[in-house]
C-alpha cells in the first residue's frame, strides 16, 4: 500500500499530476473539493477573518481523505495536510492572521497526525513538491478560470501569490514527515507535453522503487 501526496503553490499543477500518477499506479486519486468549499470565497474577501476557519475546514477534509486513502492499494492525494500551514504562516507574517490561532492550528495538526500504536499510519510514503515560478502559477490560474482567484477580480492577488510562492521552498526544505521529491514545474509541462509527462512519471517511479514501494 502506497500513499503519495502532492504539494505546491496555487496553479502548480497538483491536481493534474495527481490524475497522471493515479492512472500510472492503477490507484485512487483524491482531490480537494474547491467548488464545494463554502469558506474559500469568504476567505478571499476577508483573509483576516477566515484564515483559521478555512484551515480547520481543510484539515478535517484532508483527514477524511487520508483515512480513505489508507484503505486503498495505491492512493494519490492532490494536497498535503502539512502544506496548509504555509498559507496560514504567511498570513501571520503579513499581519493578516493571528499568531495564537496559528499555534493552536499547528499543534492540532501535529496531534492529529501523530502515530499511535495500533492505529493506522497517517503520514504519506512520499510527498511530491511541484516547484513553480510565479509566471507559471499565474498562467495556470488564468487557464482554469476560477473567478475568485483571478487578477482581474482583485489585482492585489498577484502580490499575494508572489508572497505565497516565496514561502514554499523554505517549507519544503524543512519538511521531514516523510520521504520527499521535488519536480520542476517550469521545466516540465507535464499537463500539455507528453514527453515532459513521461520524464516526470519516470522520476516519481524511480523514487518509489528506491523506497521499495514498487
Amino acid at each position: 500500500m502506497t500513499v503519495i501526496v502532492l504539494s505546491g503553490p496555487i496553479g502548480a499543477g497538483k491536481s493534474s499530476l495527481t490524475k497522471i500518477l493515479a492512472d500510472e499506479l492503477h490507484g485512487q486519486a483524491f482531490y480537494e473539493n474547491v467548488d464545494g468549499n463554502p469558506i474559500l470565497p469568504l476567505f478571499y474577501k476577508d483573509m483576516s477573518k477566515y484564515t483559521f476557519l478555512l484551515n480547520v475546514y481543510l484539515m478535517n477534509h484532508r483527514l477524511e481523505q487520508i483515512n480513505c486513502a489508507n484503505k486503498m492499494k495505491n492512493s494519490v492525494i492532490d494536497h498535503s495536510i502539512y502544506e496548509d500551514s504555509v498559507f496560514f504562516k504567511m498570513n501571520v507574517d503579513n499581519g493578516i492572521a493571528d499568531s495564537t490561532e496559528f499555534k493552536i492550528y499547528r499543534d492540532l495538526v501535529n496531534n492529529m497526525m501523530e502515530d499511535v500504536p495500533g492505529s493506522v499510519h497517517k503520514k504519506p510514503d512520499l510527498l511530491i513538491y511541484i516547484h513553480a515560478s510565479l509566471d507559471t502559477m499565474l498562467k495556470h490560474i488564468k487557464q482554469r478560470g476560477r473567478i475568485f482567484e483571478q487578477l482581474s477580480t482583485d489585482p492585489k492577488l498577484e502580490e499575494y501569490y508572489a508572497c505565497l510562492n516565496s514561502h514554499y521552498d523554505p517549507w519544503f526544505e524543512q519538511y521531514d514527515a516523510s520521504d520527499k521529491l521535488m519536480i520542476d514545474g517550469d521545466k516540465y509541462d507535464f499537463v500539455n507535453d507528453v514527453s515532459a509527462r513521461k520524464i516526470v512519471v519516470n522520476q516519481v517511479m524511480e523514487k518509489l522503487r528506491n523506497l521499495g514501494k514498487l
Side-chain angles (χ1 to χ4, degrees):
M1 182 174 65
T2 301
V3 177
I4 299 171
V5 296
L6 276 291
S7 65
I10 298 169
K14 297 185 291 295
S15 296
S16 297
L17 188 54
T18 292
K19 184 181 187 311
I20 292 168
L21 294 178
D23 289 346
E24 183 72 20
L25 292 166
H26 304 289
Q28 178 66 50
F30 293 86
Y31 302 100
E32 180 177 359
N33 184 15
V34 174
D35 293 334
N37 184 336
I39 314 300
L40 200 55
L42 299 174
F43 169 76
Y44 274 90
K45 291 180 179 178
D46 190 344
M47 294 182 184
S48 62
K49 182 177 181 180
Y50 289 104
T51 294
F52 183 77
L53 180 59
L54 175 63
N55 279 271
V56 171
Y57 176 91
L58 291 174
M59 179 184 65
N60 186 51
H61 174 66
R62 310 263 190 255
L63 286 169
E64 288 179 351
Q65 290 188 326
I66 290 169
N67 289 334
C68 291
N70 278 314
K71 298 175 184 177
M72 308 291 180
K73 181 179 180 181
N74 293 315
S75 300
V76 187
I77 306 175
D78 75 342
H79 279 76
S80 164
I81 193 171
Y82 296 102
E83 78 176 290
D84 290 328
S85 64
V86 177
F87 294 80
F88 207 145
K89 180 64 164 57
M90 180 190 72
N91 283 343
V92 170
D93 292 343
N94 291 339
I96 296 172
D98 182 80
S99 60
T100 301
E101 289 183 341
F102 173 69
K103 183 179 184 305
I104 292 171
Y105 164 78
R106 184 187 58 196
D107 291 346
L108 182 57
V109 170
N110 290 337
N111 286 334
M112 295 295 291
M113 294 300 291
E114 185 177 356
D115 287 329
V116 178
S119 66
V120 175
H121 180 70
K122 298 178 184 178
K123 297 180 176 65
D125 297 293
L126 177 65
L127 176 133
I128 299 173
Y129 166 49
I130 305 173
H131 180 277
S133 66
L134 178 61
D135 286 343
T136 296
M137 288 173 61
L138 294 178
K139 180 178 71 174
H140 291 170
I141 288 169
K142 185 175 182 179
Q143 286 175 348
R144 70 187 184 189
R146 293 173 187 155
I147 294 176
F148 56 83
E149 292 179 343
Q150 302 305 312
L151 299 187
S152 57
T153 301
D154 183 357
K156 292 184 293 185
L157 284 174
E158 182 170 359
E159 182 179 353
Y160 174 79
Y161 293 146
C163 184
L164 174 64
N165 201 15
S166 70
H167 278 69
Y168 259 93
D169 281 353
W171 170 81
F172 178 70
E173 290 174 6
Q174 295 175 7
Y175 174 84
D176 61 0
S178 70
D179 286 287
K180 57 187 179 181
L181 173 68
M182 184 173 73
I183 299 295
D184 190 336
D186 294 329
K187 184 177 181 180
Y188 300 114
D189 182 6
F190 50 81
V191 177
N192 301 304
D193 186 337
V194 174
S195 60
R197 187 181 309 160
K198 290 180 179 178
I199 292 172
V200 169
V201 168
N202 287 338
Q203 289 178 350
V204 175
M205 295 303 120
E206 181 181 3
K207 181 69 173 181
L208 290 174
R209 279 192 291 269
N210 291 338
L211 294 176
K213 295 297 179 179
L214 281 183

